[in-house]
Amino acid sequence: MGIFERFLTIWVAVSIVVGIVLGEMFPSVFQSIGNLTAYEINLPVTVLIWLMIVPMLMKVDFGALHEVGRQWRGIGVTLGVNWLIKPFTMAALGWLFIGFLFRPLLPEAQIESYIAGLILLGAAPCTAMVFVWSHLTKGDANFTLTQVALNDTIMIFAFAPIVALLLGISAITVPWETLTISVVAFIVIPVIAGQIIRRQVMKGGVAAFNDFDAKLKPVSMIALLSTLVLLFAFQGQQIIAQPMIIALLAVPIILQTYFIAAIAYVANKLLGVEHKIAAPSSMIGASNFFELAVATAIGLFGFSSGAALATVVGVLVEVPVMLSLVAIANRTRGWFPSSNVSQ
């Protein structure tokens, strides 16, 4: 691994601190950047996400996508965990910790709003960042793309009913424009861009492609760190003003992340799935589509609501926790078969 991958945890910690400090020093600048949105999606962050995942999607060979059908076990685990388990365990942990155990320590008026934010996180499995986690665990790029695309298709139909059920609301207003544009922005456009670049570079042969790929690696990592700086510059004031609330909200989110990753990882292990499939299969459920969760929380409950704050805490803990899961997955690679022709 290069210097960025080897010390990524340190770079992430530095980026978080830098983001918060810059947000405090230049609030008007970052407020202006934060206002550059379309359907609640921040445009500068979107560009950085493109720079983050296009180099990874460039590696996808669509000619091999037909083979992904052999990985039906990994796909089945992904879908089962994401839609039959994750939203409900997040709601249960929210009710247990925020609604009961931590209730005396939190403002009573915001309890239900905090739980709603956690539910929104649980109902929105990862879209963009899973490509990063898959890449860091040497996951199968074609499988990762396929499971994300399938997951996003289900999300369009399942997100609102699940959230409505768990919130006890008969009708919920979901920002459909945000959801649709997010899928286009974080899946369709990067895939097209990656394939155009792949075709052009492959004209020079495999060696030229590998050389080009090596040069792009720092671009993805720098884009990831820049994204963190922006996100924490946007939300730094809330984090500094409410450290105890942030810490309490982080507990069920962190427990949920490890629990869901463990379920998917162990299920894939028991089914005899290869590591390059098991790792991304567990990562997509463990991480969250925080852009959608934040946008929905703001649309339903307001920017200063407890729900919006809870979804921001999801962003706060996501990268450090997911990096620890990446480390665990890489250290346990030997638990899985190196190949499995029966998949």
Side-chain angles (χ1 to χ4, degrees):
M1 293 190 298
I3 187 171
F4 285 105
E5 293 95 336
R6 189 176 301 125
F7 301 106
L8 187 55
T9 302
I10 296 175
W11 304 137
V12 166
V14 170
S15 297
I16 290 173
V17 173
V18 169
I20 293 175
V21 171
L22 289 178
E24 285 291 301
M25 293 177 60
F26 309 104
S28 60
V29 173
F30 286 97
Q31 184 177 5
S32 298
I33 296 175
N35 289 332
L36 296 174
T37 62
Y39 300 100
E40 302 296 342
I41 296 175
N42 185 268
L43 300 180
V45 171
T46 298
V47 172
L48 288 172
I49 288 177
W50 287 345
L51 293 175
M52 200 189 312
I53 66 176
V54 165
M56 302 169 197
L57 291 174
M58 181 186 70
K59 299 178 182 180
V60 175
D61 178 11
F62 278 99
L65 276 181
H66 66 279
E67 298 180 6
V68 175
R70 297 166 52 229
Q71 310 296 350
W72 60 271
R73 297 180 187 180
I75 289 287
V77 169
T78 295
L79 298 182
V81 166
N82 281 316
W83 300 110
L84 299 179
I85 299 177
K86 183 182 179 184
F88 305 98
T89 55
M90 186 73 265
L93 289 171
W95 290 326
L96 174 62
F97 284 93
I98 306 304
F100 179 64
L101 296 178
F102 296 159
R103 195 179 195 101
L105 304 174
L106 295 167
E108 184 66 29
Q110 293 284 6
I111 295 293
E112 296 304 318
S113 186
Y114 292 144
I115 295 174
L118 296 178
I119 288 172
L120 290 171
L121 278 173
C126 188
T127 292
M129 291 296 289
V130 71
F131 292 109
V132 177
W133 314 134
S134 177
H135 173 71
L136 292 176
T137 57
K138 295 183 172 62
D140 186 289
N142 292 331
F143 173 80
T144 303
L145 173 62
T146 301
Q147 71 166 357
V148 169
L150 182 56
N151 212 52
D152 284 345
T153 302
I154 294 174
M155 193 185 309
I156 293 173
F157 302 100
F159 180 77
I162 288 177
V163 169
L165 172 65
L166 293 175
L167 291 182
I169 301 175
S170 59
I172 183 171
T173 303
V174 174
W176 295 108
E177 296 91 347
T178 297
L179 178 56
T180 303
I181 292 176
S182 294
V183 171
V184 172
F186 301 134
I187 297 295
V188 177
I189 292 177
V191 165
I192 293 174
Q195 290 305 298
I196 291 174
I197 295 172
R198 177 185 177 85
R199 288 191 177 188
Q200 291 299 314
V201 178
M202 282 296 289
K203 292 179 180 178
V206 175
F209 180 85
N210 291 336
D211 183 59
F212 184 75
D213 177 53
K215 292 178 180 178
L216 280 185
K217 280 186 178 180
V219 174
S220 292
M221 293 299 107
I222 291 173
L224 169 61
L225 300 179
S226 300
T227 301
L228 292 175
V229 170
L230 281 184
L231 288 175
F232 286 96
F234 297 157
Q235 302 295 339
Q237 291 182 340
Q238 285 201 65
I239 294 170
I240 292 174
Q242 307 177 81
M244 176 59 72
I245 294 177
I246 298 295
L248 295 178
L249 289 173
V251 172
I253 297 173
I254 293 172
L255 290 176
Q256 161 86 346
T257 304
Y258 285 116
F259 179 64
I260 291 299
I263 290 176
Y265 205 54
V266 171
N268 278 296
K269 165 64 177 174
L270 294 176
L271 291 171
V273 174
E274 297 175 69
H275 184 270
K276 67 179 182 179
I277 303 300
S281 174
S282 65
M283 297 295 170
I284 188 172
S287 52
N288 299 299
F289 187 179
F290 56 79
E291 296 89 355
L292 175 62
V294 172
T296 306
I298 292 172
L300 290 174
F301 303 100
F303 186 80
S304 60
S305 66
L309 181 61
T311 57
V312 170
V313 175
V315 181
L316 175 65
V317 304
E318 167 121 349
V319 172
V321 172
M322 290 305 299
L323 285 174
S324 71
L325 288 173
V326 166
I328 292 171
N330 286 334
R331 289 191 177 98
T332 56
R333 191 182 307 275
W335 294 0
F336 292 79
S338 58
S339 62
N340 195 326
V341 295
S342 65
Q343 292 288 324

